[in-house]
Amino acid sequence: MSERLKRIENYNFWNGNVPELGFQRIAYTDKVFSYVGNRLVKVLIGQRRVGKSYLLRQIAHRLIQSGVLPQNILYINKEFTAFDFLSDSRSLEELFLLYKSELKPVGKVYLLLDEIQNIDGWEHFVNSYSQDFTSEYEIFVTGSNSEMLSGELASLLSGRYVEFLVLPFGFTEYAELKKQTISKETYLKYLNEGGLPELFYLPGGDIQFNYISAVKDTILLRDIVQRYNIKDAKLLEDIFTYLVNNTSQLLSISNIVSYFASKNRKTNYETVSSYIGYIENAFLIHKAERYQIQGKETISGTAKYYMNDLSYQNLYPGFSSGAGYMLENAVYLELLRNGYKVYVGNLKNKDKEVDFVALRGNRVIYLQCAYLLSDEKTIEREYSALMEIKDNYEKVVVTLDDYSFPQREGIIHAQAWKLHEIL
């Protein structure tokens, strides 16, 4: 075997080798496998360190279990130094041709390309082999920036790909990993600790804090500062801090500019808007736009921002949003995890907002989130906005109450730790 193939052999499944697979995320692999067997490029996107590489290896292992020969699978991960010789599409193609020459796979070849955005010109390689009608190839790629499918690749593939957003562990995964029951007590721990995969294998305290901080710093530096040639890295981090500390709050770019002006920080609308966009592209933050329920259209101006993982709250000692806002953030992520497009609901001519309008195919769910339905005034506040909506779509109030409330005018009450059962 050539020197280059020897360097990457341990990362592949050849000769009975099984690289580390990690916690099995069946919901994700099931979703991906529903698209296996065609030329569509399968694209897994998401923040660094949320487990995309493990998922890609789980997909490879599942292919082998379904009858694919190990030598018909080539796994490449640009995060590992063994693959440093891959710098552009030409070196990628040279490796691929070398692999085919030496391993001589017969039939369909499966290409699994991890953190593909680190290879210059990868778009042309993927486009060429995914559409090569002279041979059978099926391609899976991962990346840590949402822009990887914008621009040239989107034009090249023009709809010949399917995208999967990979998020940190959800509550049910958290409970399974922690060997805890599905309960309020476990859910409150989840709200505090978050779901970054590596956190489950680290002791608590400073070690976990340092890990979360390192993940955040790596993303800001490698995926934003270096990628976009950011001139004011301190402002970038301060904007991220501001968004974390104001998660679940309606914000506008103008408000944020005014906030920094009040702190004698020089900036402008365009810079703040761009920096927030970069933070979104790196999946540290998600933006939920306002949605006019009666008109079925989005509203520009203000929006809410949610953390990609709840653990980021622990980086800032002054964090004071509380469990209610963390609950709202967790519900938002759970909706994303279940494939919904999520908006902040607005009732026209009413001074009322609905926390979420969740859309998936023909299904529409309106959701309100509250810490506790502690008294009649709180119940009236949380239910009244949903009662104003006159259509017949599902309406849900999600809380941390110990007891489940009966339906009220068709509105379901869901305890947060059981929300997955109805999504």
Side-chain angles (χ1 to χ4, degrees), residues 219-230 233 236:
I219 295 168
L220 291 177
L221 176 63
R222 294 182 61 183
D223 294 331
I224 302 179
V225 172
Q226 293 178 355
R227 181 184 180 91
Y228 299 104
N229 194 25
I230 296 297
L236 176 73

Side-chain angles (χ1 to χ4, degrees), residues 7 15 49-50 79 113 129 139 169 201 230 296 311 323:
R7 285 181 63 181
N15 304 319
R49 304 294 178 261
V50 296
E79 290 285 279
L113 310 174
Y129 281 98
I139 301 177
F169 290 143
Y201 307 100
I230 296 297
K296 310 299 183 188
S311 64

Side-chain angles (χ1 to χ4, degrees), residues 46-195:
Q47 179 201 296
R48 288 181 185 271
R49 304 294 178 261
V50 296
K52 299 188 299 298
S53 298
Y54 282 103
L55 266 176
L56 210 55
R57 294 196 291 274
Q58 289 171 24
I59 289 166
H61 190 243
R62 187 162 166 176
L63 286 168
I64 293 168
Q65 290 179 318
S66 71
V68 175
L69 296 174
Q71 63 263 32
N72 282 52
I73 299 173
L74 175 61
Y75 172 77
I76 292 170
N77 188 329
K78 268 296 287 177
E79 290 285 279
F80 297 132
T81 57
F83 297 91
D84 278 352
F85 62 89
L86 295 174
S87 58
D88 53 28
S89 59
R90 177 174 294 182
S91 56
L92 178 58
E93 180 148 20
E94 288 173 354
L95 174 65
F96 184 51
L97 294 175
L98 181 64
Y99 150 78
K100 290 202 299 179
S101 172
E102 295 202 17
L103 271 73
K104 296 180 170 53
V106 177
K108 181 185 282 190
V109 171
Y110 296 84
L111 277 162
L112 286 75
L113 310 174
D114 211 351
E115 295 299 343
I116 189 73
Q117 76 275 354
N118 294 328
I119 299 176
D120 291 337
W122 65 271
E123 304 95 330
H124 298 284
F125 176 90
V126 168
N127 180 61
S128 175
Y129 281 98
S130 68
Q131 304 308 314
D132 185 349
F133 63 86
T134 65
S135 299
E136 285 192 280
Y137 303 109
E138 192 157 352
I139 301 177
F140 304 77
V141 303
T142 77
S144 300
N145 192 290
S146 64
E147 283 194 335
M148 66 178 290
L149 283 174
S150 64
E152 186 172 13
L153 179 63
S155 300
L156 286 171
L157 293 179
S158 61
R160 297 192 295 271
Y161 66 87
V162 58
E163 182 178 295
F164 307 90
L165 173 64
V166 181
L167 293 165
F169 290 143
F171 170 62
T172 56
E173 293 174 310
Y174 172 93
E176 184 177 349
L177 276 160
K178 290 278 192 176
K179 296 180 171 56
Q180 300 288 314
T181 58
I182 301 294
S183 65
K184 178 179 179 177
E185 181 182 7
T186 307
Y187 194 81
L188 289 173
K189 291 178 182 176
Y190 170 67
L191 290 184
N192 183 60
E193 297 175 14

